[in-house]
Amino acid sequence: MNYQPILDEIDALIRPSFGQCGGAVASYIPALARVSPAQFGIALRTCDGVEASAGDAATLFSVQSVSKVFTLTLAMRRLGDRLWERIGREPSGNPFNSLVQLENEQGKPRNPFINAGAIAVADRLVSEGYANADLLALMSQLCGEPVGFDDEVAVSEAVTGFRNIALANFMKSFGKIDNDVNAVLDLYFHQCAIRMNCLQLARAASYLCRDGAHPFDGNPEVASATQVHRINALMLTCGTYDAAGDVAFSIGLPCKSGVGGGVIAVVPDRLTLCVWSPALDPTGNSLLGMKALELFAARTGLSIF
Ligand code: DON
């Protein structure tokens, strides 16, 4: 399939919607509130390395919760099934930053893609000796280009991260966080503040459509085939929070979104895709990014179903 004309068409269809269909950039992190909503990028990489992109695909943005896929991959690779002693695998049916389930479920987060779950993953990674620089090394190695933090976003996350601080302390009170809460949150805030563009993320995620093989030459293996199947399953059921059912219905692909407006999507054995547009819908997913994925699924007929 020739994907470039499809991405060009989607870009042309999306742009007139800037400012027309609601949505708002994330405002609870001041550094994100300043991003212009009138931006849209889309990029893909096929399993055999063909790339296509359109719009603002080269513009850097804050990856935010898209990073949760990559930290989960690291933790699964390092800990195997031991990871699931601390984190569940069920959709939460609650907003991504909710505290309510944690009380009833003794500090064990429902899944690794809500904030509590990602903070629990960060705790596991701190125990395994991972530091902020290791996250950059991983992302750079996966996308083949140097990747950095947006320091302003990292600071902004930390000074306004009252809910995340509460989540971490709450889990600690149940004995579910082993390390110093500040050290765990520092890793979590930095993973959110990684800056990448659509093309880099489509490349970095491409082990997810290649049964774990490294995006470029297959080596070293990023994760096992079974681990990748499970990550894709979690992306489908939990990757877009409270909208996961609707996303499975209307897009039919495993996705992971972030409040920076980025979304990665996987077509197993075919390609990975990244869309970005900063204005979010009420569930915290990119409004136009989701629209673009819906158009892509409709134009190509690609679906895991
Ligand atoms: O924890 C937070 O609030 C953000 N740094 C990341 C949240 C996020 O991207 C959730 N996604 N939709």
Side-chain angles (χ1 to χ4, degrees):
M1 200 179 309
N2 183 3
Y3 292 107
Q4 188 59 52
I6 298 173
L7 300 199
D8 288 335
E9 187 200 351
I10 292 171
D11 181 52
L13 287 169
I14 291 287
R15 272 173 196 274
S17 304
F18 288 158
Q20 301 297 308
C21 58
V25 296
S27 56
Y28 73 103
I29 301 170
L32 293 183
R34 289 194 286 277
V35 175
S36 164
Q39 302 184 78
F40 171 74
I42 183 165
L44 64 76
R45 181 178 170 93
T46 67
C47 284
D48 38 17
V50 176
E51 295 183 340
S53 63
D56 302 310
T59 303
L60 296 170
F61 60 90
S62 185
V63 305
Q64 293 293 316
S65 289
V66 175
S67 64
K68 290 171 180 164
V69 171
F70 300 94
T71 51
L72 172 66
T73 303
L74 271 186
M76 284 174 72
R77 196 167 74 184
R78 229 12 214 260
L79 297 164
D81 282 344
R82 279 190 295 138
L83 180 66
W84 308 115
E85 293 164 10
R86 288 283 174 89
I87 303 155
R89 303 186 294 253
E90 292 293 343
S92 73
N94 276 304
F96 62 84
N97 54 6
S98 172
L99 282 129
V100 291
Q101 267 163 354
L102 277 180
E103 171 88 68
N104 291 334
E105 298 179 3
Q106 287 76 47
K108 183 176 178 177
R110 276 283 173 107
N111 68 67
F113 292 152
I114 50 174
N115 285 9
I119 292 167
V121 169
D123 177 57
R124 308 290 67 227
L125 292 178
V126 170
S127 291
E128 293 296 315
Y130 284 100
N132 297 346
D134 298 311
L135 300 183
L136 290 187
L138 171 78
M139 299 313 293
S140 304
Q141 194 245 356
L142 285 176
C143 77
E145 289 171 15
V147 164
F149 294 120
D150 183 327
D151 294 322
E152 193 196 348
V153 171
V155 171
S156 199
E157 299 259 0
V159 297
T160 60
F162 307 112
R163 272 185 174 261
N164 289 324
I165 295 164
L167 286 167
N169 280 297
F170 204 36
M171 288 189 283
K172 181 101 179 159
S173 76
F174 284 103
K176 298 290 191 341
I177 294 284
D178 289 344
N179 297 285
D180 173 59
V181 162
N182 292 323
V184 173
L185 286 170
D186 188 57
L187 191 70
Y188 175 71
F189 290 142
H190 276 86
Q191 74 175 70
C192 295
I194 292 171
R195 257 160 46 110
M196 292 175 76
N197 62 36
C198 289
L199 200 45
Q200 289 172 332
L201 274 171
R203 278 180 197 148
S206 95
Y207 65 94
L208 296 171
C209 73
R210 306 182 75 220
D211 281 345
H214 188 279
F216 298 120
D217 58 5
N219 272 308
E221 187 184 69
V222 182
S224 72
T226 304
Q227 286 170 334
V228 158
H229 298 167
R230 290 176 169 171
I231 294 165
N232 286 336
L234 287 165
M235 287 171 68
L236 184 76
T237 54
C238 314
T240 46
Y241 311 106
D242 230 3
D246 210 36
V247 170
F249 181 87
S250 54
I251 296 169
L253 299 174
C255 296
K256 182 73 202 85
S257 61
V259 295
V263 190
I264 55 172
V266 184
V267 187
D269 303 322
R270 295 290 277 274
L271 57 88
T272 42
L273 186 63
C274 178
V275 293
W276 169 62
S277 190
L280 308 177
D281 67 19
T283 63
N285 296 303
S286 171
L287 192 87
L288 294 177
M290 288 306 184
K291 183 80 208 143
L293 287 176
E294 217 177 308
L295 287 168
F296 180 81
R299 294 289 186 279
T300 59
L302 293 170
S303 162
I304 63 161
F305 301 109

